[in-house]
């Protein structure tokens, strides 16, 4: 199989030309906003440690900088966003308010208070956050950090916190302000399905792709994600009510809580002194995800739009500059208000019109083809599909209200991919006949159909090199055509994995245990119930009391009917086993054995540890590298 990336096809060139003709006029305003207030940066946006370990390297995207013309292998609209997202460094938003952008996928914002800095959203990695703070201090003075604000519960807004605050800060009770429900959401949102979501995230963010015109060019939301040390320091101040005011280091902040919008726990806030409004991640310079393709519960478009409207009412009249946790700010009251209005209406339009079409009897894929933004919304760059897409967001709205089933009984009990694939290949007259048809469609540029057709053959016979090669070629052209960073990354990563099958690993590679270690005991036990192999558990019955010595909690844990249950308290007739949450995590991850732990007395069980041994034997370990584009 030819494993090199292919050039863009004539059909892809035609698709790009057609799109370019439909794009809004470029007034240059976005580029001017993205560069406004530039104070300085680090060479190549490169963040490395003394050993040369690279945490961030904007220099890898040199091919996008300056006047570089759009390569034929990149969607021209995505190329524009990619260029905007290469602009990096420290920027003055307004005197006293600064942002470092382009040091991670997200922005870090600094407010000058009476004595030091208030930091909003310390990026993903300690190293990138520390580099941003050092850059600020070079330009604005070596002052202490007085408080940290997390706008919401996603890792790109808190993971780098240890890069900007010290153990001494934490011990001294430095204020860390976050919306109510932050910690619960941060540690739990992805826990039951962490393995599947993290694996799918390798597709969504293009982490495996080269940084070149045939690979990763942009994530839409930002350039890419940094690769450094992720941590979580719990908040000390919880904001639970809209209208709540705090004065931090002499700076007054007015909060608006926005639960169940872009994240389960999120908040916007306003600084009267600067007439500056922070819209967290509820507004960004593109269409965001109502459904994230890495996989997650769908978000509530109606609530999202409602809270933007509420922000307009609360703060819109005074706001002179609007900034957010991704992308560049907008200056001027009218521009800020116009931006909010379009963002508000974008999510509401998708919500209402998806339901409108569903009420007319259309199904999710039909709605996704039919729906189009009205010209007034489509005229704006910040409504475009760089991250979420109108197509998959419309399906998300349908899913939220009606679920996966479209009501057509033909779709109620379809064959799964391998079984369907075999039958379709047979129907086509065999693999060669199917490939002939697929090659004709490929030549005609009907890549969506090729992907559907050849997928049947790949699932019927994953060893068929012709099929894998053609499928890779067609996904690749779809990737080149995609306006959405995540769509491009999904397509190109799929093509790569079809061309370069990984050798089977002898040992399943598991998702990092870091998240498990951060979990409260009940959430840790929840995660075990998902690891329990139901068929293997079968008729097994077991019961025990697990006492966690580090948190002084005891849970009654039982397995019956292939189900693990836990609740606070004890089962009088069951043995008690004492250990720490970390000790249990080590056992679950296979980093130690029960025998070793009992010998070391990190597990104590006066009446024996048999129930725990049985439970551990019934838990599955998940392979991180499960297949996606092949069975
Ligand atoms: Zn974010």
């Amino acid at each position: 199989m030819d494993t090199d990336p292919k050039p863009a096809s004539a059909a892809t060139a035609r698709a790009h030309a057609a799109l370019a003709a439909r794009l809004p006029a470029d007034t240059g305003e976005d580029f001017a906003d993205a560069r406004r207030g530039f104070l300085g940066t680090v060479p190549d946006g490169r963040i490395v440690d003394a050993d040369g370990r690279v945490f961030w390297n904007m220099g890898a995207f040199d091919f996008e900088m300056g006047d570089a013309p759009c390569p034929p292998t990149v969607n021209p609209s995505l190329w524009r966003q990619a260029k905007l997202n290469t602009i990096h460094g420290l920027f003055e938003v307004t005197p006293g308010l600064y942002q470092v952008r382009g040091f991670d996928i997200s922005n870090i914002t600094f407010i000058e208070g009476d004595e030091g800095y208030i930091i909003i959203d310390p990026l993903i990695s300690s190293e990138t956050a520390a580099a941003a703070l050092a850059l600020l201090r070079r330009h604005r003075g070596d002052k202490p950090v007085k408080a940290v604000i997390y706008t919401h519960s996603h890792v790109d807004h808190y993971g780098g916190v240890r890069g900007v605050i010290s153990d001494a800060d934490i011990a001294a009770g430095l204020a860390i302000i976050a919306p109510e429900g932050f910690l619960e959401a941060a540690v739990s949102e992805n826990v039951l399905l962490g393995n599947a979501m993290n694996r799918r995230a390798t597709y969504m963010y293009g982490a495996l792709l080269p940084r070149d015109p045939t690979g990763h060019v942009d994530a839409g939301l930002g350039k890419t994600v940094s690769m450094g040390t992720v941590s979580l320091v719990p908040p000390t101040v919880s904001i639970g009510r809209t209208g709540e005011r705090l004065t931090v280091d002499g700076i007054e902040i007015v909060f608006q809580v926005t639960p169940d919008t872009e994240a389960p726990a999120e908040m916007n806030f306003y600084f009267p002194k600067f007439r500056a409004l922070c819209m967290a991640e509820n507004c960004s310079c593109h269409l965001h995800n109502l459904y994230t393709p890495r996989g997650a519960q769908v978000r509530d478009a109606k609530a999202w739009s409602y809270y933007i409207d509420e922000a307009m009412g609360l703060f819109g009249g005074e706001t002179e500059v609007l900034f957010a946790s991704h992308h560049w700010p907008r200056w001027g009251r009218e521009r800020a208000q116009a931006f909010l209005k379009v963002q508000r209406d974008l999510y509401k339009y998708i919500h209402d019109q998806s339901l409108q079409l569903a009420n007319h009897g259309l199904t999710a894929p039909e709605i996704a083809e039919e729906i189009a933004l009205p010209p007034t919304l489509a005229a704006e760059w910040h409504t475009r599909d760089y991250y979420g897409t109108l197509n998959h967001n419309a399906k998300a709205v349908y899913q939220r209200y009606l679920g996966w089933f479209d009501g057509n009984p033909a779709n109620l009990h379809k064959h799964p991919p391998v079984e369907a694939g075999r039958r379709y290949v047979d129907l086509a007259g065999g693999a060669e006949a199917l490939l002939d048809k697929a090659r004709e469609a490929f030549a005609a540029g009907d890549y969506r159909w090729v992907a559907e057709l050849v997928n049947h053959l790949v699932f019927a016979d994953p060893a068929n090199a012709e099929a894998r090669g053609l499928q890779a070629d067609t996904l690749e052209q779809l990737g080149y055509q995609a306006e959405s960073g995540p769509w491009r990354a999904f397509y190109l990563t799929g093509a790569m994995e079809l061309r370069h099958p990984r050798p089977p690993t002898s040992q399943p590679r598991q998702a990092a245990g870091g998240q498990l270690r951060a979990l409260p005991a009940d959430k840790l036990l929840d995660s075990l119930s998902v690891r329990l192999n139901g068929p293997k558990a079968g008729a097994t019955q077991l019961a025990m009391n697990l006492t966690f010595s580090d948190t002084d909690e005891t849970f009654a844990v039982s397995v019956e009917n292939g189900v693990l249950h836990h609740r606070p308290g004890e089962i009088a007739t069951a043995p008690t086993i004492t250990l720490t949450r970390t000790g249990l995590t080590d056992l679950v991850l296979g980093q130690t054995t029960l025998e070793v732990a009992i010998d070391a007395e990190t597990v104590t069980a006066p009446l024996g540890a048999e129930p725990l041994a049985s439970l551990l034997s019934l838990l599955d370990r998940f392979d991180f590298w499960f297949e996606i584009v092949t069975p």
Side-chain angles (χ1 to χ4, degrees):
M1 195 192 319
D2 187 353
T3 60
D4 290 335
K6 303 272 173 42
S9 68
T12 293
R14 282 195 298 277
H16 287 166
L19 174 72
R22 291 198 309 272
L23 290 174
D26 197 342
T27 59
E29 251 181 4
D30 282 328
F31 284 92
D33 285 342
R35 293 195 181 104
R36 177 168 167 170
F38 177 73
L39 295 175
T41 188
V42 296
D44 281 343
R46 236 174 108 82
I47 299 164
V48 293
D49 67 7
D51 302 326
R53 203 175 142 215
V54 179
F55 306 105
W56 184 255
N57 180 15
M58 197 60 97
F61 298 92
D62 256 350
F63 62 96
E64 298 173 4
M65 307 269 180
D67 297 330
C70 180
T73 50
V74 182
N75 177 293
S77 178
L78 178 60
W79 185 250
R80 178 183 179 277
Q81 184 82 349
K83 277 178 172 293
L84 284 161
N85 282 335
T86 59
I87 299 169
H88 59 86
L90 173 68
F91 300 84
E92 181 185 271
V93 176
T94 193
L97 202 162
Y98 304 85
Q99 282 193 312
V100 170
R101 300 194 290 270
F103 274 28
D104 209 316
I105 197 165
S106 42
N107 299 338
I108 182 170
T109 303
F110 302 96
I111 315 291
E112 285 178 348
D114 287 348
E115 289 166 24
Y117 298 118
I118 302 164
I119 295 184
I120 305 169
D121 285 357
L123 307 178
I124 295 178
S125 306
S126 296
E127 294 83 358
T128 52
L133 178 59
L135 177 64
L136 174 82
R137 282 176 167 154
R138 278 204 294 284
H139 287 268
R140 299 298 310 167
D142 190 9
K143 288 180 280 188
V145 173
K146 302 301 287 184
V148 174
I149 303 175
Y150 303 141
T151 59
H152 65 289
S153 52
H154 291 153
V155 67
D156 50 324
H157 305 272
Y158 65 78
V161 65
R162 295 309 303 264
V164 295
I165 64 171
S166 63
D167 290 341
D169 289 330
I170 297 169
L174 182 124
I176 300 180
I177 303 161
E180 196 169 271
F182 168 91
L183 193 60
E184 163 91 13
V187 299
S188 319
E189 195 185 2
N190 303 333
V191 86
L192 295 182
L193 265 169
N195 193 64
M197 289 178 177
N198 288 334
R199 167 67 170 128
R200 289 170 55 151
T202 65
Y203 269 60
M204 177 158 164
Y205 293 102
L208 307 173
L209 297 172
R211 274 75 173 109
D212 67 33
T214 64
H216 183 74
V217 299
D218 203 72
L221 184 65
K223 189 50 63 191
T224 182
V225 290
S226 66
M227 306 297 283
T229 313
V230 179
S231 55
L232 172 56
V233 179
T236 61
V237 181
S238 181
I239 304 294
R241 191 176 55 80
T242 291
E244 210 167 322
R245 286 167 189 261
L246 284 181
T247 298
V248 183
D249 197 23
I251 303 292
E252 187 184 28
I253 312 170
V254 189
F255 294 92
Q256 178 204 8
V257 293
T258 68
D260 295 317
T261 48
E262 189 267 335
E266 188 147 355
M267 60 184 184
N268 303 326
F269 39 92
Y270 178 71
F271 296 93
K273 176 178 177 184
F274 305 107
R275 295 183 169 268
L277 173 61
C278 174
M279 284 302 291
E281 200 163 328
N282 286 315
C283 288
S284 48
C285 298
H286 57 30
L287 172 58
H288 210 293
N289 277 317
L290 296 177
Y291 166 78
T292 175
R294 70 175 158 79
Q297 292 183 14
V298 296
R299 296 166 185 162
D300 185 348
K302 187 158 151 278
W304 198 327
S305 176
Y306 167 81
Y307 285 115
I308 298 174
D309 187 61
E310 189 183 59
M312 291 173 70
L314 288 170
F315 312 120
E318 302 169 47
T319 297
E320 292 295 342
V321 60
L322 180 156
F323 66 98
S325 300
H326 293 269
H327 303 133
W328 47 94
R330 274 180 161 70
W331 286 267
R333 193 179 310 180
E334 284 77 31
R335 288 184 69 217
Q337 195 72 343
F339 174 72
L340 287 169
K341 187 191 277 189
V342 169
Q343 288 274 306
R344 174 196 71 181
D345 294 348
L346 176 63
Y347 297 107
K348 190 80 161 70
Y349 187 87
I350 296 170
H351 175 272
D352 291 353
Q353 295 308 307
S354 296
L355 296 190
Q356 206 259 2
L357 292 168
N359 273 325
H360 279 300
L362 275 70
T363 61
E366 292 167 339
I367 293 167
E369 291 301 310
E370 176 87 12
I371 194 168
L373 293 183
T376 44
L377 294 181
E380 300 290 343
W381 289 100
H382 66 89
T383 62
R384 299 201 67 86
D385 286 358
Y386 302 122
Y387 197 51
T389 69
L390 183 57
N391 187 283
H392 78 245
N393 279 345
K395 290 175 179 168
V397 174
Y398 186 96
Q399 184 197 324
R400 185 173 178 91
Y401 287 91
L402 289 168
W404 66 269
F405 179 47
D406 63 5
N408 178 351
N411 295 325
L412 195 51
H413 195 194
K414 289 168 84 169
H415 286 290
V418 170
E419 288 304 318
R422 288 192 186 128
R423 286 164 170 82
Y424 274 103
V425 174
D426 186 48
L427 176 72
E432 270 316 305
L434 184 146
L435 283 170
D436 284 345
K437 281 287 184 195
R439 286 190 197 98
E440 275 173 36
F442 187 91
D446 191 358
Y447 303 125
R448 285 169 69 185
W449 173 236
V450 178
E452 182 172 338
L453 193 55
V454 179
N455 191 54
H456 286 307
L457 179 50
V458 171
F459 273 75
D461 179 13
N464 187 318
E466 285 290 309
R468 294 179 77 113
L470 183 57
Q471 186 72 340
D473 290 351
T474 207
L475 296 182
E476 184 173 62
Q477 295 301 322
L478 287 168
Y480 293 163
Q481 290 185 20
E483 186 173 15
S484 158
W487 279 38
R488 176 181 173 94
F490 260 91
Y491 283 129
L492 296 183
T493 307
M496 174 184 261
E497 293 198 346
L498 284 159
R499 287 171 177 158
H500 305 276
R502 273 181 316 280
T505 45
S506 52
Q507 192 72 23
R509 271 192 51 181
Q510 300 206 78
Q515 194 180 21
L516 285 184
R517 289 183 206 292
L519 291 178
D522 60 331
K523 293 285 185 296
L524 177 60
L525 292 168
D526 278 348
S527 81
L528 298 195
S529 71
V530 175
R531 284 176 190 261
L532 184 79
N533 184 318
K536 193 168 159 190
T540 303
Q541 292 188 13
L542 55 90
M544 69 192 116
N545 303 310
L546 284 182
T547 295
F548 295 105
S549 54
D550 48 347
T551 54
D552 202 19
E553 292 170 288
T554 297
F555 287 84
V557 177
S558 60
V559 172
E560 197 171 352
N561 297 321
V563 176
L564 185 154
H565 283 290
H566 62 85
R567 64 166 179 268
E570 290 186 35
I571 303 165
T573 53
T576 294
I577 300 167
T578 303
L579 76 179
T580 62
R581 278 179 315 160
T582 306
L584 182 58
T585 307
D586 288 341
L587 289 167
V588 169
L589 295 176
Q591 292 177 352
T592 184
T593 65
L594 194 52
E595 294 72 35
V596 169
I598 288 171
D599 282 350
E601 294 181 0
T602 54
V603 172
T604 54
L607 297 176
E610 281 72 29
L612 182 55
S614 305
L615 173 59
L616 290 169
S617 75
L618 294 173
L619 300 181
D620 276 355
R621 299 177 65 187
F622 301 127
D623 179 4
F624 181 74
W625 293 107
F626 64 81
E627 299 295 348
I628 292 177
V629 284
T630 58

Coordinates of all heavy atoms in Angstrom, one line a residue, residues 105-106 152 154 156-157 221 262 281 288 325-326, ligand 1:
I105 N -3.8 25.7 23.8 CA -5.1 25.9 23.0 C -6.0 27.0 23.5 O -6.8 27.5 22.8 CB -5.8 24.5 22.9 CG1 -6.8 24.5 21.8 CG2 -6.5 24.2 24.3 CD1 -7.4 23.2 21.4
S106 N -5.8 27.3 24.8 CA -6.6 28.3 25.5 C -5.8 29.5 25.8 O -4.6 29.6 25.6 CB -7.2 27.7 26.8 OG -6.2 26.9 27.4
H152 N -14.3 27.6 34.0 CA -15.1 26.4 33.9 C -14.3 25.1 34.1 O -13.1 25.2 34.3 CB -15.9 26.4 32.6 CG -15.1 26.3 31.3 ND1 -14.4 27.3 30.9 CD2 -15.0 25.3 30.4 CE1 -13.8 27.0 29.7 NE2 -14.2 25.7 29.4
H154 N -13.2 22.5 32.3 CA -12.4 21.8 31.3 C -10.9 22.0 31.6 O -10.5 23.1 32.0 CB -12.8 22.2 29.9 CG -14.2 21.8 29.5 ND1 -15.0 22.5 28.6 CD2 -15.0 20.7 29.9 CE1 -16.1 21.9 28.4 NE2 -16.2 20.8 29.2
D156 N -8.3 22.6 29.9 CA -7.5 23.7 29.4 C -7.7 25.0 30.1 O -7.1 26.0 29.7 CB -7.7 23.8 27.8 CG -9.2 23.9 27.5 OD1 -10.0 23.3 28.1 OD2 -9.5 24.7 26.5
H157 N -8.5 25.0 31.2 CA -8.7 26.2 32.0 C -8.2 26.0 33.4 O -8.4 27.0 34.2 CB -10.2 26.6 31.9 CG -10.6 26.7 30.4 ND1 -10.4 27.9 29.7 CD2 -11.0 25.8 29.5 CE1 -10.7 27.7 28.4 NE2 -11.1 26.4 28.3
L221 N -10.4 25.8 17.6 CA -10.5 26.4 19.0 C -9.2 27.1 19.4 O -9.1 28.0 20.2 CB -10.9 25.4 20.0 CG -11.1 25.8 21.4 CD1 -12.4 26.6 21.5 CD2 -11.3 24.5 22.3
E262 N -21.5 25.5 27.9 CA -20.3 24.8 27.2 C -19.7 23.8 28.1 O -19.1 22.8 27.7 CB -19.3 25.9 26.8 CG -18.2 25.4 25.9 CD -17.0 25.0 26.7 OE1 -16.8 25.5 27.8 OE2 -16.2 24.2 26.2
E281 N -16.0 30.4 28.0 CA -16.0 29.7 26.7 C -17.4 29.7 26.1 O -17.7 28.9 25.2 CB -15.3 28.3 26.8 CG -14.9 27.8 25.5 CD -13.9 26.6 25.5 OE1 -13.1 26.5 26.5 OE2 -13.9 25.8 24.6
H288 N -19.1 26.7 18.3 CA -18.6 25.7 19.2 C -19.4 24.4 19.1 O -20.2 24.3 18.2 CB -18.7 26.3 20.7 CG -17.6 25.8 21.6 ND1 -17.6 24.5 22.0 CD2 -16.6 26.4 22.2 CE1 -16.5 24.3 22.8 NE2 -15.9 25.5 22.9
S325 N -12.0 32.9 26.8 CA -10.9 32.0 27.2 C -10.3 31.3 25.9 O -9.4 30.5 26.1 CB -11.4 30.9 28.1 OG -11.9 31.6 29.3
H326 N -10.8 31.6 24.8 CA -10.2 31.2 23.5 C -10.3 32.4 22.5 O -11.2 33.2 22.7 CB -10.8 30.0 22.9 CG -10.7 28.7 23.7 ND1 -9.6 27.9 23.5 CD2 -11.4 28.2 24.7 CE1 -9.7 26.9 24.4 NE2 -10.7 27.1 25.1
Ligands
LIG1 ZN1 -11.4 25.5 26.5

